[in-house]
Amino acid sequence: MATKALCFSVSLNDFSNRFGSNPRPISPKVRVFTLRCSTGNGERPWKTSDARLVLADGSIWKAKSFGASGTQVGEVVFNTSLTGYQEILTDPSYAGQFVLMTNPHIGNTGINFDDEESTQCFLAGLVIRSLSISTSNWRCAETLGDYLAERNIMGIYDVDTRAITRRLRQDGSLVGVLSTDNSKTDEELLQTSRSWDIVGIDLISGVSCKSPHEWVDKTKQDWEFNSKGPVEKFHVVAYDFGIKHNILRRLASYGCKITVVPSTWPASETLKLNPDGVLFSNGPGDPSAVPYAVETVKNIVGKVPVFGICMGHQLLGQALGGKTFKMKFGHHGGNHPVRNLRTGHVEISAQNHNYAVDPATLPEGVEVTHINLNDGSCAGLAFPAQRIMSLQYHPEASPGPHDSDYAFREFVELMKRENARSG
């Protein structure tokens, strides 16, 4: 590449005029500045905008791309977490969505392979303000850009994420199209965004495992914070609607033997395994779009103790006769305050959901145990007569504190009481 040196001289008089009459002595060596820039082939020494995010409201956002190239459609949601972008990337509950990080600086800790919540990335794309040009972490194995490119996930940066977040808060979650294809016009991309809808799509079948398997890994000793070791071992069947690995690790750390089954696994086959309890996991999308999963939950409820997390919580709400609804922009982040109505304690929780259970539609006997203090929405349920507990957030996540980890202990206690009653 041809280069050309551009030289600038700065006199002491110029310096004095700008910075005062008594400047500190300056070495003559610093009076000449050299700027090198590329010439001849039209290239620039910095990346220029080469991507567009076109939202269904008609707004067009120019950006710079990293990761994979191409054109992708998805629902845009914002996440307020300050850390943990790798856990977010590998959370299956983000299938079909572009995740916009409100924290402006992303990529500075790189990627390591201990923090992944699934075996792949399921989100449609990543939208950030500033992409770190360097990484600094003792566990870093590769850069964020290389990681996304290897997994064919699109990312954009140098876009006004604050302005987009304000738009999403005002108008609600919006469908968008992300593209690096210059052959597509803005109007074509806008039409694509307006012709696609995430509502009513079964997304859990695309993220679930394909066959039953055993899970044995516990939380590594370096990260373990549960000082009370398990006394009894309970067999739990975990329905994989997009389950995060740390849910399984925490169950195993509490002494559970775990069998993971696909989302379409029949209730009759689960009951043949004679489990002590059943866990219905988190997962992406609309709970009303998966009636087969609701039917499975109906056929298990009342027969064994059950624990629902996020999607599992919503499916339990529907199975009990309640209704779910789509929230304006959902809850996505690691800093949501939740009040435990039984104890009065406030937990700082990690959340990722666009749907919620309407407690007014639930039958008598179902108790709201937790509420989100940001908007008063239902964040937890219990139905003692049916041995049911559920949470609309992630008790296994550690957004700083481990406030909600006790939920796994409560599930173990629920199974213990049931065994004592029936045994």
Side-chain angles (χ1 to χ4, degrees), residues 19-35:
F19 300 103
S21 59
N22 296 303
R24 289 183 296 177
I26 298 177
S27 168
K29 294 181 180 180
V30 300
R31 294 177 63 190
V32 176
F33 298 89
T34 300
L35 172 66

Side-chain angles (χ1 to χ4, degrees), residues 89-305:
L89 290 171
T90 53
D91 182 352
S93 296
Y94 280 116
Q97 293 178 322
F98 296 127
V99 180
L100 180 151
M101 301 298 297
T102 59
N103 183 30
H105 194 58
I106 301 295
N108 57 314
T109 57
I111 294 291
N112 73 82
F113 299 107
D114 291 332
D115 292 347
E116 300 200 317
E117 289 289 0
S118 64
T119 57
Q120 67 183 90
C121 299
F122 290 100
L123 79 171
L126 182 65
V127 181
I128 63 176
R129 176 66 184 91
S130 177
L131 178 65
S132 177
I133 61 174
S134 62
T135 59
S136 178
N137 186 274
W138 63 278
R139 295 190 297 161
C140 177
E142 66 177 328
T143 66
L144 175 59
D146 289 344
Y147 178 82
L148 293 184
E150 291 165 3
R151 286 152 182 80
N152 198 33
I153 302 296
M154 299 181 68
I156 59 171
Y157 68 101
D158 266 12
V159 64
D160 192 343
T161 52
R162 182 181 177 89
I164 298 176
T165 299
R166 288 172 63 90
R167 190 174 295 255
L168 297 177
R169 282 187 57 85
Q170 177 179 320
D171 301 333
S173 299
L174 292 166
V175 172
V177 176
L178 184 58
S179 181
T180 59
D181 186 351
N182 289 329
S183 69
K184 295 182 180 294
T185 67
D186 293 342
E187 187 58 38
E188 288 176 323
L189 297 179
L190 178 60
Q191 185 59 37
T192 300
S193 70
R194 290 177 174 174
S195 62
W196 186 84
D197 195 348
I198 198 171
V199 177
I201 298 177
D202 174 7
L203 293 172
I204 66 175
S205 59
V207 302
S208 179
C209 63
K210 304 307 178 186
S211 59
H213 60 276
E214 300 300 312
W215 180 276
V216 296
D217 291 343
K218 301 180 180 180
T219 302
K220 290 184 178 180
Q221 194 59 42
D222 291 345
W223 307 103
E224 181 57 69
F225 47 85
N226 172 30
S227 58
K228 297 181 180 179
V231 178
E232 301 178 54
K233 185 175 286 292
F234 296 100
H235 180 205
V236 174
V237 172
Y239 271 83
D240 180 8
F241 299 133
I243 197 165
K244 294 170 67 177
H245 286 174
N246 212 37
I247 292 176
L248 299 171
R249 293 191 197 102
R250 296 311 297 146
L251 279 174
S253 294
Y254 274 92
C256 296
K257 173 189 173 184
I258 305 166
T259 302
V260 183
V261 299
S263 60
T264 55
W265 191 250
S268 58
E269 294 300 313
T270 294
L271 296 175
K272 285 179 184 179
L273 297 174
N274 195 30
D276 297 296
V278 174
L279 179 131
F280 299 114
S281 83
N282 63 291
D286 183 356
S288 299
V290 287
Y292 63 88
V294 176
E295 194 62 28
T296 297
V297 175
K298 283 182 180 179
N299 291 329
I300 291 176
V301 163
K303 298 179 175 65
V304 295

Side-chain angles (χ1 to χ4, degrees), residues 336-349 351 368-374 379-380 391 393 401-407 409-410:
H336 284 254
V338 169
R339 183 183 297 280
N340 183 327
L341 298 179
R342 289 172 164 177
T343 66
H345 294 165
V346 174
E347 306 164 24
I348 300 302
S349 68
Q351 303 202 11
V368 175
T369 58
H370 300 73
I371 60 169
N372 187 298
L373 291 180
N374 286 337
L391 295 175
Y393 56 96
H402 303 126
D403 292 2
S404 308
D405 189 72
Y406 69 86
R409 182 176 65 252
E410 290 190 350

Side-chain angles (χ1 to χ4, degrees), residues 18-96:
R18 287 179 177 271
F19 300 103
S21 59
N22 296 303
R24 289 183 296 177
I26 298 177
S27 168
K29 294 181 180 180
V30 300
R31 294 177 63 190
V32 176
F33 298 89
T34 300
L35 172 66
R36 295 194 177 274
C37 61
S38 60
T39 61
N41 57 6
E43 292 185 3
R44 297 180 181 179
W46 57 86
K47 187 177 179 70
T48 57
S49 297
D50 62 345
R52 288 166 291 169
L53 174 63
V54 179
L55 299 180
D57 65 356
S59 60
I60 300 170
W61 306 83
K62 297 291 183 67
K64 300 172 184 177
S65 67
F66 69 107
S69 300
T71 300
Q72 181 68 48
V73 62
E75 180 183 45
V76 185
V77 298
F78 62 89
N79 186 298
T80 56
S81 295
L82 299 180
T83 62
Y85 59 79
Q86 186 172 346
E87 290 89 341
I88 292 166
L89 290 171
T90 53
D91 182 352
S93 296
Y94 280 116

